[in-house]
Coordinates of all heavy atoms in Angstrom, one line a residue:
M1 N -52.0 -30.6 -6.1 CA -50.8 -30.5 -5.4 C -49.6 -30.8 -6.3 O -49.7 -31.6 -7.2 CB -50.8 -31.5 -4.2 CG -51.6 -31.1 -3.0 SD -51.2 -32.0 -1.6 CE -52.5 -33.2 -1.6
R2 N -48.5 -30.2 -6.0 CA -47.3 -30.5 -6.7 C -46.3 -31.2 -5.8 O -46.4 -31.0 -4.6 CB -46.8 -29.2 -7.4 CG -45.6 -28.6 -6.9 CD -45.3 -27.3 -7.6 NE -44.9 -26.3 -6.6 CZ -43.6 -26.3 -6.2 NH1 -42.7 -27.1 -6.6 NH2 -43.3 -25.5 -5.2
V3 N -45.4 -31.9 -6.4 CA -44.4 -32.6 -5.6 C -43.1 -31.9 -5.8 O -42.6 -31.5 -6.9 CB -44.3 -34.1 -6.1 CG1 -43.2 -34.8 -5.3 CG2 -45.6 -34.8 -6.0
T4 N -42.4 -31.7 -4.6 CA -41.1 -31.0 -4.6 C -40.0 -32.0 -5.1 O -40.3 -33.2 -5.2 CB -40.8 -30.4 -3.2 OG1 -40.6 -31.5 -2.4 CG2 -41.8 -29.5 -2.7
S5 N -38.8 -31.5 -5.2 CA -37.7 -32.3 -5.6 C -37.4 -33.4 -4.5 O -36.7 -34.4 -4.8 CB -36.4 -31.5 -5.9 OG -36.1 -30.7 -4.7
R6 N -37.8 -33.1 -3.3 CA -37.6 -34.1 -2.2 C -38.7 -35.1 -2.1 O -38.8 -35.9 -1.2 CB -37.5 -33.4 -0.9 CG -36.2 -32.6 -0.8 CD -36.0 -32.0 0.6 NE -35.7 -30.6 0.4 CZ -36.2 -29.6 1.2 NH1 -37.0 -29.9 2.2 NH2 -35.8 -28.4 1.0
G7 N -39.7 -35.0 -3.1 CA -40.8 -35.9 -3.1 C -41.9 -35.6 -2.1 O -42.8 -36.4 -1.9
E8 N -41.9 -34.4 -1.6 CA -42.9 -33.9 -0.7 C -44.0 -33.2 -1.4 O -43.7 -32.4 -2.4 CB -42.3 -33.0 0.4 CG -41.2 -33.6 1.2 CD -40.3 -32.6 1.9 OE1 -40.5 -31.4 1.6 OE2 -39.6 -33.0 2.8
C9 N -45.2 -33.3 -1.0 CA -46.3 -32.6 -1.7 C -46.4 -31.2 -1.0 O -46.2 -31.0 0.2 CB -47.6 -33.4 -1.4 SG -47.7 -34.9 -2.3
C10 N -46.7 -30.3 -1.9 CA -47.0 -29.0 -1.3 C -48.3 -28.4 -2.0 O -48.5 -28.6 -3.2 CB -45.8 -28.0 -1.5 SG -45.4 -27.7 -3.2
K11 N -49.1 -27.8 -1.2 CA -50.4 -27.3 -1.8 C -50.2 -26.0 -2.5 O -49.3 -25.2 -2.2 CB -51.4 -27.0 -0.6 CG -51.9 -28.3 0.0 CD -53.0 -28.0 1.0 CE -53.5 -29.3 1.6 NZ -54.6 -29.1 2.5
R12 N -51.0 -25.8 -3.5 CA -51.0 -24.6 -4.4 C -51.7 -23.5 -3.6 O -52.7 -23.7 -2.9 CB -51.7 -24.9 -5.7 CG -51.7 -23.8 -6.7 CD -52.3 -24.3 -8.0 NE -53.2 -25.4 -7.9 CZ -54.5 -25.3 -7.6 NH1 -55.1 -24.2 -7.4 NH2 -55.2 -26.4 -7.6
L13 N -51.2 -22.3 -3.7 CA -51.8 -21.2 -3.0 C -53.1 -20.9 -3.6 O -53.3 -21.1 -4.8 CB -50.9 -19.9 -3.1 CG -49.6 -20.0 -2.4 CD1 -48.7 -18.8 -2.8 CD2 -49.8 -20.1 -0.9
P14 N -54.1 -20.5 -2.9 CA -55.5 -20.2 -3.4 C -55.5 -19.2 -4.6 O -56.3 -19.2 -5.4 CB -56.3 -19.7 -2.2 CG -55.5 -20.1 -1.0 CD -54.1 -20.2 -1.4
T15 N -54.5 -18.3 -4.6 CA -54.4 -17.3 -5.6 C -53.8 -17.8 -6.9 O -53.8 -17.1 -7.9 CB -53.6 -16.1 -5.1 OG1 -52.3 -16.5 -4.7 CG2 -54.3 -15.4 -3.9
V16 N -53.2 -19.0 -6.9 CA -52.5 -19.5 -8.0 C -53.5 -20.5 -8.7 O -54.0 -21.5 -8.1 CB -51.2 -20.3 -7.6 CG1 -50.5 -20.9 -8.8 CG2 -50.3 -19.3 -6.9
P17 N -53.8 -20.3 -10.0 CA -54.7 -21.2 -10.7 C -54.1 -22.5 -10.9 O -52.9 -22.7 -11.1 CB -55.0 -20.4 -12.0 CG -53.8 -19.6 -12.3 CD -53.3 -19.2 -10.9
A18 N -55.0 -23.5 -11.0 CA -54.6 -24.9 -11.4 C -54.0 -24.9 -12.8 O -54.4 -24.0 -13.6 CB -55.7 -25.9 -11.3
P19 N -53.1 -25.8 -13.2 CA -52.6 -25.8 -14.5 C -53.7 -25.8 -15.6 O -53.5 -25.2 -16.7 CB -51.8 -27.1 -14.6 CG -51.4 -27.3 -13.2 CD -52.5 -26.8 -12.3
C20 N -54.8 -26.5 -15.4 CA -55.8 -26.6 -16.4 C -56.6 -25.2 -16.5 O -57.3 -25.1 -17.5 CB -56.8 -27.7 -16.0 SG -57.8 -27.5 -14.5
R21 N -56.4 -24.3 -15.6 CA -57.0 -23.0 -15.7 C -56.1 -21.9 -16.2 O -56.5 -20.8 -16.1 CB -57.5 -22.7 -14.3 CG -58.4 -23.7 -13.6 CD -59.8 -23.7 -14.1 NE -60.6 -24.6 -13.4 CZ -61.7 -25.2 -13.8 NH1 -62.1 -24.9 -15.0 NH2 -62.4 -26.0 -13.1
T22 N -54.9 -22.2 -16.7 CA -54.0 -21.2 -17.2 C -54.2 -21.1 -18.7 O -54.9 -22.0 -19.3 CB -52.6 -21.6 -16.9 OG1 -52.2 -22.8 -17.5 CG2 -52.3 -21.7 -15.4
S23 N -53.6 -20.1 -19.3 CA -53.7 -20.0 -20.7 C -53.0 -21.1 -21.5 O -53.4 -21.4 -22.6 CB -53.0 -18.6 -21.2 OG -51.7 -18.6 -20.8
K24 N -52.0 -21.7 -20.9 CA -51.3 -22.8 -21.5 C -52.3 -24.1 -21.5 O -52.2 -24.9 -22.5 CB -50.0 -23.2 -20.7 CG -49.3 -24.3 -21.4 CD -48.0 -24.6 -20.6 CE -47.2 -25.7 -21.3 NZ -46.0 -26.1 -20.6
G25 N -53.1 -24.2 -20.5 CA -54.0 -25.3 -20.4 C -53.3 -26.6 -20.0 O -52.2 -26.7 -19.6
C26 N -54.1 -27.7 -20.1 CA -53.6 -29.0 -19.7 C -54.1 -30.0 -20.8 O -55.2 -29.9 -21.2 CB -54.2 -29.3 -18.3 SG -53.9 -31.0 -17.8
P27 N -53.3 -30.9 -21.1 CA -53.7 -31.9 -22.2 C -54.9 -32.7 -21.7 O -55.6 -33.2 -22.6 CB -52.5 -32.8 -22.3 CG -51.4 -32.4 -21.4 CD -51.9 -31.2 -20.7
K28 N -55.2 -32.8 -20.4 CA -56.3 -33.6 -20.0 C -57.6 -32.7 -20.0 O -58.7 -33.2 -19.6 CB -56.1 -34.1 -18.6 CG -55.0 -35.2 -18.6 CD -54.8 -35.7 -17.2 CE -53.7 -36.7 -17.1 NZ -53.5 -37.3 -15.8
G29 N -57.5 -31.4 -20.3 CA -58.7 -30.6 -20.3 C -59.0 -30.0 -18.9 O -58.1 -29.9 -18.1
T30 N -60.2 -29.7 -18.7 CA -60.6 -29.2 -17.4 C -61.6 -30.2 -16.8 O -62.1 -31.1 -17.5 CB -61.3 -27.8 -17.5 OG1 -62.5 -28.0 -18.3 CG2 -60.4 -26.8 -18.2
P31 N -61.9 -30.1 -15.5 CA -62.9 -31.0 -14.9 C -64.2 -30.9 -15.6 O -64.9 -31.9 -15.8 CB -63.0 -30.5 -13.5 CG -61.7 -29.9 -13.2 CD -61.3 -29.2 -14.5
E32 N -64.6 -29.8 -16.1 CA -65.9 -29.6 -16.8 C -65.8 -30.1 -18.3 O -66.8 -30.5 -18.8 CB -66.3 -28.1 -16.8 CG -66.5 -27.5 -15.5 CD -65.1 -27.0 -14.9 OE1 -64.2 -26.7 -15.6 OE2 -65.1 -27.0 -13.7
N33 N -64.7 -30.0 -18.9 CA -64.5 -30.4 -20.3 C -63.3 -31.2 -20.5 O -62.3 -30.8 -20.9 CB -64.4 -29.1 -21.1 CG -64.5 -29.4 -22.6 OD1 -64.9 -30.5 -23.0 ND2 -64.0 -28.4 -23.4
Q34 N -63.4 -32.5 -20.1 CA -62.2 -33.4 -20.1 C -62.0 -33.9 -21.5 O -62.9 -34.1 -22.3 CB -62.5 -34.6 -19.2 CG -62.7 -34.2 -17.8 CD -63.0 -35.4 -16.9 OE1 -62.9 -36.5 -17.3 NE2 -63.4 -35.1 -15.7
N35 N -60.7 -34.0 -21.8 CA -60.3 -34.6 -23.1 C -60.0 -36.1 -22.8 O -59.0 -36.6 -22.4 CB -59.0 -34.0 -23.6 CG -59.1 -32.5 -23.9 OD1 -60.2 -32.1 -24.4 ND2 -58.1 -31.7 -23.7
V36 N -61.1 -36.9 -23.1 CA -61.0 -38.4 -22.9 C -61.5 -39.1 -24.1 O -62.3 -38.5 -24.9 CB -61.8 -38.8 -21.6 CG1 -61.1 -38.2 -20.4 CG2 -63.2 -38.4 -21.7
L37 N -61.2 -40.3 -24.2 CA -61.7 -41.2 -25.3 C -63.1 -41.5 -25.1 O -63.6 -41.6 -23.9 CB -60.9 -42.5 -25.4 CG -59.4 -42.4 -25.8 CD1 -58.8 -43.8 -25.8 CD2 -59.3 -41.8 -27.2
S38 N -63.9 -41.6 -26.1 CA -65.3 -42.0 -26.0 C -65.3 -43.5 -25.6 O -64.2 -44.2 -25.7 CB -66.0 -41.9 -27.4 OG -65.4 -42.8 -28.3
G39 N -66.4 -44.0 -25.2 CA -66.5 -45.4 -24.8 C -66.1 -46.3 -26.0 O -65.3 -47.3 -25.8
K40 N -66.6 -46.0 -27.2 CA -66.3 -46.8 -28.3 C -64.8 -46.8 -28.7 O -64.2 -47.8 -28.9 CB -67.0 -46.2 -29.5 CG -66.9 -47.0 -30.8 CD -67.9 -46.3 -31.8 CE -67.8 -46.9 -33.2 NZ -68.6 -46.3 -34.2
N41 N -64.1 -45.6 -28.6 CA -62.7 -45.5 -28.9 C -61.9 -46.2 -27.8 O -60.8 -46.8 -28.0 CB -62.3 -44.1 -29.0 CG -62.7 -43.5 -30.3 OD1 -63.1 -44.2 -31.2 ND2 -62.7 -42.2 -30.4
M42 N -62.3 -46.1 -26.5 CA -61.6 -46.8 -25.4 C -61.7 -48.3 -25.6 O -60.7 -49.0 -25.4 CB -62.2 -46.4 -24.1 CG -61.5 -47.0 -22.9 SD -59.7 -46.7 -22.8 CE -59.8 -45.1 -22.1
R43 N -62.8 -48.8 -26.1 CA -62.9 -50.3 -26.3 C -62.0 -50.7 -27.5 O -61.3 -51.7 -27.4 CB -64.4 -50.7 -26.6 CG -65.2 -50.6 -25.4 CD -66.6 -51.2 -25.6 NE -67.4 -50.6 -26.6 CZ -68.1 -49.4 -26.4 NH1 -68.1 -48.9 -25.2 NH2 -68.8 -48.9 -27.4
A44 N -61.9 -49.8 -28.5 CA -61.0 -50.1 -29.6 C -59.6 -50.1 -29.2 O -58.8 -51.0 -29.6 CB -61.2 -49.1 -30.8
Y45 N -59.2 -49.2 -28.3 CA -57.8 -49.1 -27.8 C -57.5 -50.3 -26.9 O -56.4 -50.9 -27.1 CB -57.7 -47.8 -27.1 CG -56.3 -47.6 -26.5 CD1 -55.2 -47.6 -27.3 CD2 -56.1 -47.4 -25.1 CE1 -53.9 -47.5 -26.7 CE2 -54.9 -47.2 -24.6 CZ -53.7 -47.2 -25.4 OH -52.5 -47.1 -24.8
Q46 N -58.4 -50.7 -26.1 CA -58.2 -51.8 -25.2 C -58.1 -53.1 -26.1 O -57.2 -53.9 -25.8 CB -59.4 -52.0 -24.2 CG -59.5 -50.9 -23.1 CD -58.2 -50.9 -22.2 OE1 -57.6 -51.9 -22.0 NE2 -58.0 -49.8 -21.7
H47 N -58.9 -53.2 -27.1 CA -58.8 -54.4 -28.0 C -57.4 -54.4 -28.7 O -56.8 -55.4 -28.8 CB -59.9 -54.3 -29.0 CG -59.9 -55.5 -29.9 ND1 -59.5 -55.4 -31.2 CD2 -60.2 -56.8 -29.7 CE1 -59.6 -56.6 -31.8 NE2 -60.0 -57.5 -30.9
W48 N -57.0 -53.2 -29.1 CA -55.7 -53.1 -29.8 C -54.5 -53.5 -28.9 O -53.6 -54.3 -29.2 CB -55.5 -51.7 -30.3 CG -54.1 -51.4 -30.9 CD1 -53.7 -51.7 -32.1 CD2 -52.9 -50.9 -30.2 NE1 -52.4 -51.3 -32.3 CE2 -51.9 -50.8 -31.1 CE3 -52.7 -50.4 -28.9 CZ2 -50.6 -50.4 -30.8 CZ3 -51.5 -50.0 -28.6 CH2 -50.4 -49.9 -29.5
K49 N -54.6 -53.1 -27.6 CA -53.6 -53.4 -26.6 C -53.5 -54.9 -26.4 O -52.5 -55.5 -26.3 CB -53.8 -52.7 -25.3 CG -53.5 -51.2 -25.4 CD -53.3 -50.5 -24.0 CE -54.4 -50.8 -23.0 NZ -54.3 -50.0 -21.8
E50 N -54.7 -55.6 -26.3 CA -54.8 -57.0 -26.1 C -54.2 -57.7 -27.3 O -53.4 -58.7 -27.1 CB -56.2 -57.5 -25.9 CG -56.8 -57.0 -24.6 CD -58.3 -57.3 -24.5 OE1 -58.8 -58.1 -25.2 OE2 -58.9 -56.8 -23.6
C51 N -54.6 -57.3 -28.5 CA -54.0 -58.0 -29.7 C -52.5 -57.8 -29.8 O -51.8 -58.7 -30.2 CB -54.7 -57.4 -30.9 SG -56.5 -57.8 -31.1
K52 N -52.1 -56.6 -29.5 CA -50.6 -56.2 -29.6 C -49.9 -57.1 -28.6 O -48.8 -57.6 -28.9 CB -50.5 -54.7 -29.3 CG -49.0 -54.3 -29.4 CD -48.9 -53.4 -30.6 CE -47.5 -52.8 -30.6 NZ -47.0 -52.7 -31.9
A53 N -50.4 -57.3 -27.4 CA -49.8 -58.0 -26.4 C -49.5 -59.5 -26.8 O -48.5 -60.0 -26.4 CB -50.5 -58.0 -25.1
V54 N -50.5 -60.1 -27.5 CA -50.3 -61.5 -27.9 C -49.8 -61.6 -29.3 O -49.6 -62.8 -29.8 CB -51.6 -62.3 -27.6 CG1 -52.0 -62.3 -26.2 CG2 -52.7 -61.7 -28.5
G55 N -49.7 -60.5 -30.0 CA -49.2 -60.6 -31.4 C -50.2 -61.1 -32.4 O -49.8 -61.6 -33.5
Q56 N -51.5 -61.1 -32.1 CA -52.5 -61.6 -33.0 C -53.6 -60.7 -33.1 O -54.2 -60.3 -32.2 CB -53.0 -63.0 -32.5 CG -52.0 -64.1 -32.6 CD -52.7 -65.4 -32.2 OE1 -53.4 -65.4 -31.2 NE2 -52.4 -66.5 -32.9
F57 N -53.9 -60.3 -34.4 CA -55.0 -59.4 -34.7 C -56.0 -60.2 -35.6 O -55.6 -60.9 -36.5 CB -54.6 -58.1 -35.4 CG -53.9 -57.2 -34.6 CD1 -52.5 -57.3 -34.3 CD2 -54.5 -56.1 -34.0 CE1 -51.8 -56.4 -33.5 CE2 -53.8 -55.2 -33.2 CZ -52.5 -55.3 -33.0
P58 N -57.3 -60.1 -35.3 CA -58.3 -60.7 -36.2 C -58.2 -60.2 -37.6 O -57.9 -59.0 -37.8 CB -59.7 -60.3 -35.6 CG -59.4 -59.9 -34.2 CD -58.0 -59.4 -34.2
D59 N -58.5 -61.0 -38.6 CA -58.5 -60.6 -40.0 C -59.8 -59.9 -40.3 O -60.8 -60.5 -40.8 CB -58.3 -61.9 -40.9 CG -58.2 -61.5 -42.3 OD1 -57.8 -60.3 -42.6 OD2 -58.4 -62.3 -43.2
D60 N -59.9 -58.7 -39.9 CA -61.1 -57.9 -40.0 C -60.7 -56.5 -40.5 O -59.8 -55.9 -40.0 CB -61.8 -57.8 -38.7 CG -63.1 -57.0 -38.7 OD1 -64.1 -57.5 -39.1 OD2 -63.0 -55.8 -38.3
P61 N -61.4 -55.9 -41.5 CA -61.0 -54.6 -42.0 C -61.2 -53.5 -41.0 O -60.4 -52.6 -41.0 CB -62.0 -54.4 -43.2 CG -63.0 -55.4 -43.1 CD -62.5 -56.5 -42.3
T62 N -62.2 -53.5 -40.1 CA -62.3 -52.5 -39.1 C -61.2 -52.6 -38.1 O -60.6 -51.6 -37.7 CB -63.7 -52.7 -38.4 OG1 -64.7 -52.6 -39.4 CG2 -63.9 -51.6 -37.3
V63 N -60.8 -53.8 -37.7 CA -59.7 -54.0 -36.8 C -58.4 -53.5 -37.4 O -57.6 -52.8 -36.7 CB -59.6 -55.5 -36.3 CG1 -58.3 -55.7 -35.5 CG2 -60.8 -55.9 -35.5
R64 N -58.2 -53.8 -38.7 CA -57.0 -53.3 -39.4 C -56.9 -51.8 -39.4 O -55.9 -51.1 -39.1 CB -56.9 -53.9 -40.8 CG -56.4 -55.3 -40.8 CD -56.0 -55.7 -42.3 NE -57.2 -55.6 -43.2 CZ -58.0 -56.6 -43.4 NH1 -57.9 -57.7 -42.7 NH2 -59.0 -56.5 -44.3
R65 N -58.1 -51.2 -39.8 CA -58.1 -49.7 -39.9 C -57.9 -49.1 -38.5 O -57.1 -48.1 -38.4 CB -59.5 -49.3 -40.4 CG -59.7 -47.7 -40.5 CD -61.1 -47.4 -41.0 NE -62.1 -47.8 -40.1 CZ -62.5 -47.1 -39.0 NH1 -61.8 -46.0 -38.6 NH2 -63.4 -47.5 -38.2
N66 N -58.5 -49.6 -37.5 CA -58.3 -49.1 -36.1 C -56.9 -49.3 -35.7 O -56.3 -48.4 -35.1 CB -59.3 -49.7 -35.1 CG -60.7 -49.3 -35.3 OD1 -61.0 -48.3 -35.9 ND2 -61.6 -50.0 -34.7
A67 N -56.3 -50.4 -36.0 CA -54.9 -50.7 -35.6 C -53.9 -49.8 -36.2 O -53.0 -49.3 -35.6 CB -54.5 -52.2 -35.9
V68 N -54.2 -49.4 -37.5 CA -53.3 -48.4 -38.2 C -53.3 -47.1 -37.5 O -52.3 -46.5 -37.2 CB -53.7 -48.3 -39.7 CG1 -53.0 -47.1 -40.3 CG2 -53.3 -49.6 -40.4
I69 N -54.6 -46.6 -37.2 CA -54.7 -45.3 -36.6 C -54.1 -45.3 -35.2 O -53.3 -44.4 -34.8 CB -56.2 -45.0 -36.5 CG1 -56.8 -44.7 -37.9 CG2 -56.5 -43.7 -35.6 CD1 -58.3 -44.7 -37.9
I70 N -54.4 -46.3 -34.4 CA -53.9 -46.4 -33.0 C -52.3 -46.5 -33.0 O -51.6 -45.8 -32.2 CB -54.5 -47.5 -32.2 CG1 -56.0 -47.2 -32.0 CG2 -53.8 -47.7 -30.9 CD1 -56.8 -48.4 -31.5
Q71 N -51.8 -47.3 -33.9 CA -50.3 -47.5 -34.0 C -49.7 -46.1 -34.4 O -48.6 -45.8 -33.8 CB -49.9 -48.6 -35.0 CG -48.4 -48.9 -35.0 CD -48.0 -49.4 -33.6 OE1 -48.5 -50.4 -33.2 NE2 -47.0 -48.7 -33.0
E72 N -50.2 -45.4 -35.3 CA -49.7 -44.1 -35.7 C -49.7 -43.2 -34.5 O -48.7 -42.5 -34.3 CB -50.5 -43.5 -36.9 CG -50.2 -44.2 -38.2 CD -51.1 -43.7 -39.3 OE1 -52.0 -42.8 -39.1 OE2 -50.9 -44.1 -40.5
L73 N -50.8 -43.1 -33.8 CA -50.8 -42.2 -32.6 C -49.9 -42.6 -31.5 O -49.2 -41.8 -30.9 CB -52.3 -42.2 -32.1 CG -53.3 -41.5 -33.0 CD1 -54.7 -41.7 -32.5 CD2 -53.0 -40.1 -33.3
T74 N -49.7 -43.9 -31.3 CA -48.8 -44.4 -30.3 C -47.3 -44.1 -30.7 O -46.5 -43.7 -29.9 CB -48.9 -45.8 -29.9 OG1 -48.8 -46.6 -31.1 CG2 -50.3 -46.1 -29.2
D75 N -47.1 -44.2 -32.0 CA -45.7 -43.9 -32.5 C -45.4 -42.4 -32.3 O -44.3 -42.0 -31.9 CB -45.6 -44.2 -34.0 CG -45.5 -45.7 -34.2 OD1 -45.4 -46.5 -33.2 OD2 -45.7 -46.1 -35.4
I76 N -46.4 -41.5 -32.6 CA -46.2 -40.1 -32.4 C -46.0 -39.7 -30.9 O -45.1 -39.0 -30.6 CB -47.5 -39.3 -33.0 CG1 -47.5 -39.4 -34.5 CG2 -47.5 -37.9 -32.5 CD1 -48.8 -38.9 -35.1
A77 N -46.8 -40.4 -30.1 CA -46.6 -40.1 -28.6 C -45.2 -40.6 -28.1 O -44.6 -39.9 -27.3 CB -47.7 -40.8 -27.8
A78 N -44.8 -41.7 -28.6 CA -43.4 -42.2 -28.3 C -42.3 -41.2 -28.7 O -41.4 -41.0 -28.0 CB -43.2 -43.6 -28.8
E79 N -42.5 -40.7 -30.0 CA -41.5 -39.7 -30.5 C -41.5 -38.5 -29.6 O -40.5 -37.9 -29.4 CB -41.9 -39.4 -31.9 CG -41.5 -40.5 -32.9 CD -42.1 -40.3 -34.3 OE1 -42.5 -39.1 -34.6 OE2 -42.0 -41.2 -35.1
Q80 N -42.7 -38.0 -29.2 CA -42.8 -36.8 -28.4 C -42.1 -37.0 -27.0 O -41.4 -36.2 -26.5 CB -44.3 -36.4 -28.2 CG -44.8 -35.8 -29.5 CD -46.3 -35.5 -29.4 OE1 -47.0 -35.9 -28.4 NE2 -46.8 -34.7 -30.3
R81 N -42.4 -38.2 -26.4 CA -41.7 -38.5 -25.1 C -40.2 -38.6 -25.3 O -39.5 -38.1 -24.5 CB -42.3 -39.9 -24.6 CG -43.6 -39.8 -24.0 CD -44.0 -41.0 -23.2 NE -44.0 -42.2 -24.0 CZ -45.1 -42.6 -24.7 NH1 -46.2 -42.0 -24.7 NH2 -45.0 -43.7 -25.4
Q82 N -39.7 -39.2 -26.4 CA -38.3 -39.3 -26.6 C -37.7 -37.9 -26.8 O -36.7 -37.6 -26.2 CB -38.0 -40.0 -27.9 CG -36.6 -40.1 -28.3 CD -35.9 -41.4 -27.8 OE1 -36.6 -42.3 -27.4 NE2 -34.6 -41.4 -27.8
F83 N -38.4 -37.0 -27.5 CA -38.0 -35.6 -27.7 C -37.9 -34.9 -26.3 O -37.0 -34.2 -26.0 CB -38.9 -34.9 -28.7 CG -38.5 -33.4 -28.8 CD1 -37.4 -33.1 -29.7 CD2 -39.2 -32.4 -28.2 CE1 -37.0 -31.8 -29.8 CE2 -38.8 -31.1 -28.4 CZ -37.8 -30.8 -29.2
Q84 N -38.9 -35.1 -25.5 CA -39.0 -34.4 -24.2 C -37.8 -34.9 -23.3 O -37.2 -34.1 -22.6 CB -40.3 -34.7 -23.5 CG -41.5 -34.0 -24.1 CD -42.8 -34.4 -23.5 OE1 -42.9 -35.4 -22.9 NE2 -43.8 -33.6 -23.8
V85 N -37.5 -36.2 -23.4 CA -36.4 -36.7 -22.6 C -35.1 -36.2 -23.1 O -34.2 -35.7 -22.3 CB -36.4 -38.3 -22.6 CG1 -35.1 -38.8 -22.1 CG2 -37.6 -38.9 -21.9
M86 N -34.9 -36.2 -24.4 CA -33.6 -35.7 -24.9 C -33.5 -34.2 -24.7 O -32.4 -33.7 -24.3 CB -33.6 -35.9 -26.4 CG -33.6 -37.4 -26.8 SD -32.1 -38.2 -26.1 CE -30.8 -37.5 -27.1
S87 N -34.6 -33.4 -24.7 CA -34.5 -32.0 -24.5 C -34.2 -31.7 -23.0 O -33.4 -30.9 -22.7 CB -35.9 -31.3 -24.8 OG -36.2 -31.4 -26.1
A88 N -34.8 -32.5 -22.1 CA -34.5 -32.4 -20.7 C -33.0 -32.7 -20.4 O -32.3 -32.1 -19.6 CB -35.4 -33.3 -19.9
M89 N -32.5 -33.7 -21.1 CA -31.1 -34.1 -20.9 C -30.1 -33.0 -21.4 O -29.1 -32.8 -20.8 CB -30.8 -35.4 -21.6 CG -31.5 -36.6 -20.9 SD -31.3 -38.2 -21.8 CE -29.6 -38.3 -22.1
M90 N -30.6 -32.4 -22.4 CA -29.7 -31.3 -23.0 C -30.0 -29.9 -22.4 O -29.3 -29.0 -22.8 CB -29.9 -31.3 -24.6 CG -29.5 -32.5 -25.2 SD -29.9 -32.7 -27.0 CE -29.5 -31.1 -27.6
G91 N -30.9 -29.8 -21.6 CA -31.3 -28.6 -20.9 C -32.0 -27.6 -21.8 O -32.0 -26.4 -21.6
V92 N -32.7 -28.1 -22.8 CA -33.4 -27.3 -23.8 C -34.8 -27.1 -23.2 O -35.4 -28.0 -22.7 CB -33.6 -28.0 -25.2 CG1 -34.4 -27.1 -26.1 CG2 -32.2 -28.2 -25.7
R93 N -35.3 -25.9 -23.2 CA -36.6 -25.6 -22.7 C -37.5 -25.0 -23.8 O -37.2 -24.2 -24.6 CB -36.6 -24.6 -21.5 CG -35.8 -25.3 -20.4 CD -36.6 -25.3 -19.2 NE -35.9 -26.0 -18.2 CZ -36.3 -27.0 -17.5 NH1 -37.5 -27.4 -17.7 NH2 -35.6 -27.6 -16.6

């Protein structure tokens, strides 16, 4: 379902494909082939969030390596969100 500008839900017509079924696709994948973190990566991400929240990371090479990777990805995601907001404000499509 999609939400209108008035905040009301409206159902998609049966002849209109879901966003994940279009050529553009969906960042979350399809119900059959979801783009999700593995259990191991989800645990590493949760650990990173906990450490980041309290400002303390264990002195461990694996934790440091994971923290660098996760921080780089979160920085990229934040930059993309910033770009999307700025583009929307400027009316760029």
Side-chain angles (χ1 to χ4, degrees):
M1 279 197 264
R2 111 184 137 81
V3 179
T4 67
S5 59
R6 291 186 230 144
E8 302 165 345
C9 292
C10 63
K11 290 188 177 184
R12 184 175 20 87
L13 296 173
T15 57
V16 177
C20 64
R21 307 283 187 204
T22 64
S23 60
K24 183 178 178 184
C26 176
K28 294 181 180 180
T30 63
E32 301 82 26
N33 188 18
Q34 299 177 10
N35 294 329
V36 296
L37 293 175
S38 67
K40 184 177 177 181
N41 288 344
M42 181 56 81
R43 287 189 299 278
Y45 179 57
Q46 291 297 334
H47 183 254
W48 175 83
K49 289 195 311 185
E50 291 172 16
C51 293
K52 183 108 171 144
V54 297
Q56 290 183 318
F57 287 84
D59 185 19
D60 177 82
T62 302
V63 171
R64 280 194 300 273
R65 180 182 61 83
N66 289 346
V68 168
I69 293 167
I70 294 169
Q71 187 63 56
E72 287 175 354
L73 292 173
T74 56
D75 290 348
I76 290 168
E79 289 171 9
Q80 288 176 342
R81 281 191 300 272
Q82 177 94 18
F83 178 77
Q84 289 172 343
V85 168
M86 295 300 290
S87 295
M89 289 172 55
M90 295 171 46
V92 176
R93 298 239 176 228

